[in-house]
Amino acid sequence: MKVTWKKHGATLRLRFSGELDHHSAADVRREIDGLLSDTAIGFIVFDLGGVTFMDSSGIGVILGRYRMIAARGGGMDIINASRQIERILRMAGVYTLCTQGGTVE
Amino acid sequence: MKNRLVVSFPSISINESLARGITASFIMPLDPTVEELSDLRTAVSEAVTNAIIHGYGRTDGIVSMELEYDGCDVTVTVRDEGRGIENIELARKPFYTSMPDSERSGMGFSVMEAFTDGVDVQSALGQGTSVVLRKRIGNHECSL
C-alpha cells in the first residue's frame, strides 16, 4: 500500500494505491498522522481510486483520521471507491460523515 | 467436482494477503465473477485478521485454513487455537469491538455476513475459534 499526497491550502488530498488491510493499516496510519501534525490542514480527501483491496481495517483507518480532523472543526470526503469498497464503507455509515457524501470524480 | 486444500501459517499480519491469494487461486477453477472473488477474498481477510488480532493478539500461534468446494458450493474454515470468544452473539454485532482503542471498526463479522451466504462461528475460551464461511459461486460451469 502506497499513499501519495498533495496539499492545496487547507486541504490534504491522499491518494491510496494497493491493498489496505490490517497489515498495511499501521504504516498508512503513521504516515497520515505525520501529515496531520500540520495544524493548518482542515480537510482530508481520501482518493481510493488506486485501492485494489480493502476490508474493514480500512474503515478504522478512515474513521480514526476523521476523528482527528473533526476535532479541529474540519471534514473529509472519500472519492473514487470501487463498488466493493463503497459497500463496506456504506455498511459502516462512513459516507454520512463526508462533506460531499462521497463523490466520484 | 470436489476439491480440498488445507494450509496453516503463523499468525503474522503479512499472511492476511497470503490467505486472500490462496483463496482466490483455489476457487479460480469455478470461474467466479470478479464480484464473487472479491466477496470471498474480503470475508477470508476478515476471518484471518480476527484470528491474528483477537485469537492470538500479542502471542504467536498458528492459523489454519481449510478450503473446500463441492460443485458451486465453497466453504472456507479459518481456525485458531487462541483465546476464544466469550460472547459470540455480542462479537457478531455491528460496531462491537473488544479493542476500542485500536481503531478496529467492529465490522469484521458484519462484512463476512454481507459478503458470503453463511457464517458459522464456534469458539471455546482458551481453546480457540473456528469460523466457517460458505459461498455459492453462481456460474453454472462449476456444477458440472
Side-chain angles (χ1 to χ4, degrees), chain A residues 16 43-49 51 54-55 58-60 62-63 66 75-105, chain B residues 95 107 115:
Chain A
F16 294 70
F43 198 85
I44 308 174
V45 176
F46 293 92
D47 181 350
L48 305 183
V51 180
M54 191 188 96
D55 62 18
I59 300 172
I62 292 172
L63 287 182
Y66 173 73
M76 71 164 176
D77 216 346
I78 301 171
I79 60 170
N80 298 329
S82 68
R83 242 177 74 199
Q84 189 86 2
I85 294 172
E86 191 184 317
R87 202 170 147 206
I88 292 176
L89 293 172
R90 281 204 194 286
M91 282 176 62
V94 177
Y95 283 114
T96 61
L97 304 171
C98 289
T99 304
Q100 305 284 331
T103 53
V104 176
E105 284 197 341
Chain B
F95 301 107
M107 293 301 287
F115 286 33

Side-chain angles (χ1 to χ4, degrees), chain A residues 22-23 29 55-56 65, chain B residues 13 16 20 45-46 103 115:
Chain A
H22 159 249
H23 176 71
R29 207 176 273 139
D55 62 18
S56 71
R65 310 296 75 68
Chain B
S13 61
E16 291 154 9
R20 296 194 294 271
S45 192
E46 299 291 352
E103 285 191 0
F115 286 33

Side-chain angles (χ1 to χ4, degrees), chain B residues 8-99:
Chain B
S8 57
F9 44 81
S11 60
I12 50 177
S13 61
I14 190 106
N15 287 332
E16 291 154 9
S17 72
L18 178 70
R20 296 194 294 271
I22 289 168
T23 303
S25 302
F26 182 75
I27 65 165
M28 217 41 99
L30 306 181
D31 195 19
T33 63
V34 173
E35 194 173 332
E36 286 165 343
L37 190 59
S38 176
D39 285 357
L40 196 59
R41 271 163 46 90
T42 307
V44 165
S45 192
E46 299 291 352
V48 170
T49 301
N50 274 354
I52 292 172
I53 302 180
H54 300 290
Y56 294 114
R58 291 184 183 280
T59 62
D60 296 331
I62 298 291
V63 179
S64 68
M65 215 167 62
E66 186 180 337
L67 304 104
E68 285 177 287
Y69 56 76
D70 183 351
C72 307
D73 296 310
V74 180
T75 307
V76 182
T77 306
V78 177
R79 281 194 193 89
D80 67 71
E81 293 177 6
R83 281 195 286 254
I85 302 170
E86 196 171 340
N87 184 337
I88 294 175
E89 198 188 334
L90 181 63
R92 291 180 73 145
K93 282 204 167 117
F95 301 107
Y96 171 79
T97 175
S98 58
M99 301 172 79

